[in-house]
């Protein structure tokens, strides 16, 4: 999926994956009781922050296409072209899911 959002510095654009609709025992979870998803797919990655000397950039640990787990309340939700995205700092990413 290609998007027209280019994150700056160490920020990434993530599309949240849908939360589970049912529990392990088969009970359906209503929309009002669902938790905010913490897993998503990376759609765009910024170039990275400048190092302390300002002469080079520090590369990010994530890449486009990675599935990640991120902080529950991290980032900023934005709606662009009718689709909701999450822009968050690479520091808010907790893990890459394989």
């Amino acid at each position: 999926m290609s998007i027209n959002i280019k994150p700056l510095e160490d920020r990434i654009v993530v599309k949240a994956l849908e939360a589970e609709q049912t529990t392990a025992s088969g009970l359906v979870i209503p929309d009002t009781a669902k938790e905010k998803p913490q897993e998503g797919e990376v759609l765009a990655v910024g170039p990275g922050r400048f190092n302390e000397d300002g002469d080079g950039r520090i590369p990010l640990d994530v890449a486009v296409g990675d599935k990640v787990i991120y902080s529950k309340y991290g980032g900023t939700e934005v709606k662009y072209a009718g689709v909701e995205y999450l822009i968050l700092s690479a520091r808010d990413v907790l893990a890459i899911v394989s």
Side-chain angles (χ1 to χ4, degrees):
M1 169 182 262
S2 176
I3 59 171
N4 292 329
I5 300 174
K6 182 179 178 186
L8 302 175
E9 291 193 348
D10 68 338
R11 299 214 179 4
I12 62 174
V13 178
V14 174
K15 176 132 176 67
L17 299 177
E18 292 296 319
E20 290 292 322
Q21 301 288 336
T22 59
T23 64
S25 60
L27 297 174
V28 176
I29 302 171
D31 288 339
T32 55
K34 286 184 189 170
E35 287 194 24
K36 226 173 125 176
Q38 289 180 261
E39 188 174 346
E41 181 180 355
V42 178
L43 301 178
V45 178
R49 282 192 175 273
F50 282 103
N51 61 18
E52 290 181 15
D53 298 329
D55 59 356
R57 291 195 183 258
I58 302 170
L60 300 180
D61 294 331
V62 296
V64 173
D66 286 347
K67 290 198 180 358
V68 295
I69 297 174
Y70 50 85
S71 298
K72 191 169 199 165
Y73 300 106
T76 302
E77 294 175 352
V78 295
K79 192 169 190 175
Y80 179 76
V83 181
E84 290 190 18
Y85 299 103
L86 181 67
I87 299 176
L88 52 98
S89 173
R91 288 173 271 173
D92 289 333
V93 174
L94 304 175
I96 297 174
V97 182
S98 55

